[in-house]
């Protein structure tokens, strides 16, 4: 049965949830997700979320983001993200998100290509902590209805303006959700790859739908490969070994137990070095060793990685683990301006599905959760302004 609402949001990851929370409560909102509410890449984020430490950090953080992005980033978007980062962290704390801290002060960690520690984290399950708290807030809103196992299969367009979406429910029935504004927040494209850290149901649906309607896309060939996922012969999603493990001192070894690269270079550089080494060695993986990180630090900062590796038969406090690069993040997507607006009227794109130019050709570690939150909030504010 067709439905009508003020705003429809496709996707219940951090971007979709935060957009819903930043829309006025007078608006009726429908959120849909292709799977269950918690099966989003946002939930999987391990390393953390970047934040501008202080005013002195601006130039260095800006430069780190640009250098990682091969200077193809949109400077305006990077500037907006950095300047809004502290406000976003305050918002998250206001929603109940707890970041690791000591004596009332946040602890910051570092990942590859960051020139200083500026990443807030919650153990190694930052994404779960953030997403759970956002879900709790959204569930309290009486103006938001969430439908699980409902897939957006198309958008409705009338004279260049989006008027809603077409969906298919779990029984296979299709219907329309008419909306004054539509937000695409359907995440990445990892489901299209054999080896990916993403959920398999994330298959770039918004990008395909947008292309069908001639909506502007950008940088479709900019796909980030994560250098270190746990090697496995089993099919399915690859388990990420967060970059902050290397940030805290883990090193990479070739088959002879020799280091072959600087582990803290940007992801694309480390990935290339690993692939070349695997080719040289004739192996399907290289080794990652945490021998230089204290056992206590491993157990307190990386309990999830420790536990998962243990279940796979590796005790990371005692032995090296085999790691291999896998598809991880999509820098391209549906073109969006700094308010999340696409080239079609009343159609917004936020989070990994969008391309607002923050990441350029390559994303700096832990910039994506921040980018998703900053720009989904802006899109929500824009929708509010537009319809006041
Ligand atoms: C293992 C892992 C670790 C990561 N670690 C970090 C980190 O430490 N720091 C960081 O900043 N980033 C990290 N990232 C990246 C980050 O998590 C994502 O880029 C970000 O969370 C994307 O948020 P999103 O809301 O755009 O998409 P997602 O959180 O992926 O949500 C997408 C949503 O869209 C829904 N959907 C998809 N297609 C459809 C459709 N056709 N119809 C309806 N619904 C649909 C999905 O069901 C889901 O609800 C990590 C990613 C992975 C995979």
């Amino acid at each position: 049965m067709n439905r009508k609402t003020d705003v429809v949001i496709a996707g219940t990851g951090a971007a979709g949830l935060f957009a819903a929370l930043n829309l006025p409560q007078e608006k009726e909102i429908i959120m849909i997700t292709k799977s269950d509410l918690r099966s989003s890449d946002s939930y999987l984020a391990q390393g953390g979320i970047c934040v501008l430490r202080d005013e002195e950090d601006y130039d260095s953080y800006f430069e780190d983001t640009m250098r990682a992005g091969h200077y193809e980033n949109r400077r305006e978007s990077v500037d907006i993200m950095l300047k809004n980062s502290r406000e976003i962290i305050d918002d998250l704390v206001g929603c109940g998100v707890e970041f690791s801290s000591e004596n009332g002060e946040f602890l910051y960690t570092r990942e590859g290509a960051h020139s200083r520690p500026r990443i807030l984290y919650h153990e190694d399950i930052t994404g779960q902590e953030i997403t759970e708290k956002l879900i709790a807030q959204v569930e309290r809103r009486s103006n938001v209805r969430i439908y699980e196992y409902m897939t957006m299969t198309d958008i409705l367009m009338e004279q260049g303006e989006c008027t809603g979406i077409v969906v298919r429910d779990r029984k296979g029935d299709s219907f329309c959700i008419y909306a004054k504004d539509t937000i695409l927040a359907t995440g990445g494209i990892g489901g299209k790859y054999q080896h990916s850290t993403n959920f398999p149901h994330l298959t770039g649906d918004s990008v395909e739908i947008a292309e069908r309607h001639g909506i502007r896309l950008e940088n479709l060939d900019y796909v980030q490969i994560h250098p270190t996922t746990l090697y496995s012969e089993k099919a399915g999603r690859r388990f990420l070994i967060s970059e902050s493990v290397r940030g805290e001192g883990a090193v990479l070894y070739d088959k002879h137990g020799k280091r072959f690269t600087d582990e803290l270079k940007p992801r694309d550089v480390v990935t290339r070095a690993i692939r070349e080494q695997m080719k040289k060695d004739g192996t399907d993986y290289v080794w990652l060793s945490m021998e230089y990180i204290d056992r206590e630090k491993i157990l307190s900062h990386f309990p999830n990685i420790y536990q998962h590796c243990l279940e796979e038969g590796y005790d990371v406090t005692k032995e090296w683990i085999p790691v291999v690069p896998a598809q991880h993040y999509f820098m391209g997507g549906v073109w969006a301006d700094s308010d999340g607006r696409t080239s079609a009227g009343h159609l917004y794109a936020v989070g990994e599905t969008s391309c607002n130019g923050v990441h350029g050709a390559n994303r700096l570690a832990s910039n994506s959760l921040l980018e998703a939150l900053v720009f989904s909030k802006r899109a929500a504010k824009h929708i509010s302004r537009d319809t006041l």
Side-chain angles (χ1 to χ4, degrees):
M1 200 182 60
N2 292 344
R3 284 168 206 178
K4 220 172 157 192
T5 186
D6 290 321
V7 184
V8 64
I9 304 175
T12 60
L17 293 165
F18 207 55
L21 286 176
N22 280 287
L23 284 163
Q25 299 200 32
E26 300 75 56
K27 280 190 184 292
E28 260 185 46
I29 302 168
I30 290 183
M31 299 188 76
I32 63 156
T33 173
K34 198 173 179 179
S35 180
D36 66 275
L37 183 55
R38 286 168 176 78
S39 292
S40 68
D41 274 7
S42 299
Y43 210 84
L44 301 177
Q46 291 180 347
I49 178 168
C50 284
V51 63
L52 185 68
R53 289 278 299 259
D54 44 45
E55 289 310 310
E56 280 86 72
D57 190 29
Y58 181 89
D59 289 345
S60 141
Y61 185 5
F62 193 92
E63 174 60 19
D64 287 349
T65 301
M66 296 294 294
R67 197 184 322 112
H70 297 255
Y71 300 97
E72 290 188 33
N73 324 52
R74 261 186 254 162
R75 298 179 73 88
E76 183 207 358
S77 301
V78 178
D79 177 63
I80 290 172
M81 182 178 79
L82 267 56
K83 287 186 175 150
N84 283 279
S85 62
R86 285 236 80 95
E87 179 185 306
I88 292 296
I89 298 304
D90 291 344
D91 288 354
L92 291 179
V93 170
C95 288
V97 173
E98 290 176 23
F99 292 109
S100 297
S101 59
E102 219 168 63
N103 306 323
E105 299 284 332
F106 285 145
L107 293 171
Y108 294 89
T109 187
R110 190 180 165 198
E111 297 187 71
H114 282 275
S115 45
R116 66 181 289 199
R118 60 168 77 88
I119 298 164
L120 292 169
Y121 60 97
H122 178 101
E123 298 172 354
D124 53 357
I125 49 165
T126 312
Q128 180 180 324
E129 170 68 10
I130 292 176
T131 315
E132 279 296 353
K133 299 291 163 63
L134 296 182
I135 288 173
Q137 294 291 327
V138 169
E139 282 178 337
R140 266 188 230 148
R141 296 275 171 104
S142 56
N143 62 320
V144 184
R145 271 176 298 160
I146 301 174
Y147 297 96
E148 297 180 297
Y149 299 100
M150 190 172 279
T151 301
M152 173 181 67
T153 54
D154 206 350
I155 51 174
L156 299 161
M157 292 292 293
E158 266 173 49
Q159 296 167 343
E161 304 219 320
C162 181
T163 55
I165 62 177
V166 181
V167 298
R168 194 179 50 235
D169 67 14
R170 69 171 97 195
K171 286 190 262 155
D173 294 335
S174 286
F175 56 90
C176 298
I177 302 178
Y178 296 99
K180 290 181 196 134
D181 292 285
T182 298
I183 303 181
L184 306 174
T186 58
I189 57 168
K192 297 245 183 230
Y193 288 73
Q194 190 186 0
H195 299 292
S196 172
T197 59
N198 295 187
F199 273 105
H201 68 280
L202 302 179
T203 47
D205 300 353
S206 290
V207 177
E208 277 187 27
I209 292 169
E211 188 175 28
R212 241 184 273 153
H213 290 274
I215 291 162
R216 185 171 167 195
L217 304 173
E218 192 168 314
N219 294 345
L220 296 192
D221 50 344
Y222 287 171
V223 177
Q224 184 170 80
I225 308 296
H226 197 287
T228 52
T229 67
L230 187 64
Y231 175 76
S232 169
E233 283 173 8
K234 291 183 218 152
R237 187 158 63 76
R238 294 289 164 250
F239 182 73
L240 186 83
I241 306 296
S242 166
E243 192 138 16
S244 54
V245 174
R246 279 175 282 128
E248 296 293 339
V251 289
L252 290 164
Y253 289 137
D254 68 7
K255 69 173 181 186
H256 301 295
K258 284 211 181 88
R259 282 180 74 187
F260 55 89
T261 188
D262 173 354
E263 290 82 359
L264 293 180
K265 287 272 183 206
R267 289 183 173 167
D268 51 343
V269 178
V270 179
T271 295
R272 212 172 306 126
I274 292 177
R275 286 211 167 128
E276 279 165 16
Q277 198 58 45
M278 281 162 47
K279 207 163 158 200
K280 222 185 275 173
D281 288 352
T283 52
D284 291 332
Y285 49 80
V286 295
W287 296 102
L288 182 84
S289 164
M290 301 190 198
E291 64 199 297
Y292 300 114
I293 315 178
D294 288 346
R295 184 185 152 79
E296 288 318 307
K297 177 93 186 172
I298 293 176
L299 297 182
S300 64
H301 191 158
F302 306 113
N304 181 43
I305 293 176
Y306 170 76
Q307 194 52 40
H308 184 93
C309 290
L310 209 56
E311 282 159 22
E312 294 284 326
Y314 304 100
D315 181 344
V316 294
T317 64
K318 297 194 183 124
E319 59 193 324
W320 304 347
I321 52 171
V323 291
V324 64
Q327 190 281 343
H328 185 53
Y329 186 80
F330 183 39
M331 276 77 64
V334 181
W335 177 89
D337 72 4
S338 56
D339 286 317
R341 282 184 298 179
T342 69
S343 62
H346 296 276
L347 181 68
Y348 294 77
V350 294
E352 194 168 337
T353 237
S354 68
C355 180
N356 55 38
V358 157
H359 307 299
N362 178 51
R363 173 183 68 121
L364 180 69
S366 284
N367 259 353
S368 40
L369 279 172
L370 179 62
E371 179 259 317
L373 297 171
V374 167
F375 291 93
S376 58
K377 180 171 180 177
R378 289 176 68 87
K381 296 290 171 207
H382 193 274
I383 291 173
S384 324
R385 191 182 345 149
D386 218 25
T387 49
L388 278 178

